[in-house]
Amino acid sequence: METKKKIVFNELEELDYGRREAFNSLRTNLQFSGADIKTVLFTSCRPDEGKSTVSFMLARSLAEMGKHVIYIDADLRKSVTINRYKATRDKGPIWGLSHYLSNQAKISDVVCETNVPGMDIIVTGPLSPNPTELLNGELFTDLIEELRESYDNVIIDAPPLGSVIDAAVIAPRCDGVVMVVEANGTSRRLAADVKKQIEMTGCRILGVVLNKVKIEKSKYYKYYGEYK
């Protein structure tokens, strides 16, 4: 690929012991899912369950252990990642996923370095009026296939499957799916419905991250997984 532009995340939080151990555990569980598990899709049942933070922090954790990782922000409807971490970019235009999927840019145009060593990113680009159609096209398949060859891990952040169908469209191109579920916030019926939708895609469900779980104060940490 050509020289990449750079995106700097100015507000990357330092994780406390409990949160760091949680992501280390998630990273380890992903690695033990199998050597063939490289492209992983993250989705949730509803908005604001913490899916984007969990997937981003997992990508960061993988990069910090020496993996070459790319994080794809595939929420072409309501992305939060760039604003959440107060990202700044190189001068000039930054092309995103929607530019590539609408045939306005090449893969090399949309892949950006970050200030996390070993971690690259593809941002969403302009919000699209027809995201499902774009994600269901051959260009997205080509993108995933090329990135699988270039990276150790491809982490895809997709919209909540309980709200829109985009994650089900992406899933067949992935090696596995992780559901992020808010503790005491998502009904058992909705979670079961989303699980069924994933199963219908034929993509393997790797597991569920139970997020925003309060843990009693201990010697080491107070809270676990309180992510927005």
Side-chain angles (χ1 to χ4, degrees):
M1 291 185 180
E2 303 168 9
T3 302
K4 292 173 281 192
K5 290 184 177 293
K6 188 169 185 177
I7 289 179
V8 176
F9 298 108
N10 295 293
E11 292 193 9
L12 279 179
E13 62 179 315
E14 288 299 320
L15 301 180
D16 61 25
Y17 177 85
R19 291 185 173 96
R20 182 173 292 278
E21 285 302 298
F23 284 111
N24 287 347
S25 177
L26 178 58
R27 181 184 70 196
T28 300
N29 289 338
L30 177 62
Q31 291 175 310
F32 277 100
S33 294
D36 58 330
I37 305 297
K38 296 185 64 175
T39 303
V40 180
L41 173 69
F42 280 75
T43 189
S44 58
C45 300
R46 304 178 298 105
D48 302 319
E49 294 193 85
K51 158 192 62 69
S52 294
T53 301
V54 170
S55 56
F56 181 89
M57 288 298 183
L58 173 64
R60 176 186 176 185
S61 179
L62 286 163
E64 287 175 346
M65 70 164 290
K67 297 291 186 180
H68 191 203
V69 183
I70 187 162
Y71 171 85
I72 303 176
D73 190 346
D75 192 341
L76 300 181
R77 300 172 188 267
K78 188 183 177 182
S79 172
V80 300
T81 300
I82 292 297
N83 290 334
R84 175 168 293 155
Y85 299 106
K86 307 299 181 190
T88 54
R89 317 176 190 192
D90 286 344
K91 292 182 179 179
I94 295 289
W95 300 99
L97 183 60
S98 58
H99 288 113
Y100 167 76
L101 295 177
S102 57
N103 216 17
Q104 299 179 61
K106 301 177 295 185
I107 294 177
S108 57
D109 294 327
V110 300
V111 175
C112 296
E113 292 181 333
T114 73
N115 55 319
V116 178
M119 179 177 167
D120 290 349
I121 187 173
I122 296 177
V123 300
T124 55
L127 300 184
S128 169
N130 58 337
T132 304
E133 289 80 2
L134 291 179
L135 293 167
N136 200 31
E138 296 246 347
L139 284 173
F140 190 73
T141 301
D142 294 343
L143 173 69
I144 298 304
E145 289 179 354
E146 178 161 335
L147 296 179
R148 279 181 59 88
E149 297 299 318
S150 303
Y151 292 88
D152 297 316
N153 297 100
V154 180
I155 304 298
I156 305 175
D157 176 13
L161 188 50
S163 302
V164 293
I165 201 66
D166 297 8
V169 171
I170 297 171
R173 299 166 172 86
C174 301
D175 302 319
V177 178
V178 175
M179 288 175 57
V180 178
V181 177
E182 179 183 356
N184 301 314
T186 301
S187 71
R188 193 172 293 183
R189 175 176 291 182
L190 178 57
D193 287 345
V194 169
K195 176 176 177 288
K196 184 176 180 180
Q197 288 186 69
I198 296 172
E199 290 171 339
M200 290 174 64
T201 70
C203 189
R204 176 181 169 191
I205 299 177
L206 301 177
V208 176
V209 174
L210 188 62
N211 198 27
K212 303 185 185 179
V213 181
K214 288 189 177 182
I215 302 296
E216 294 297 325
K217 188 173 182 180
S218 73
K219 177 180 177 181
Y220 297 107
Y221 55 86
K222 183 176 182 181
Y223 294 112
Y224 166 80
E226 291 189 355
Y227 291 111
K228 303 294 185 184

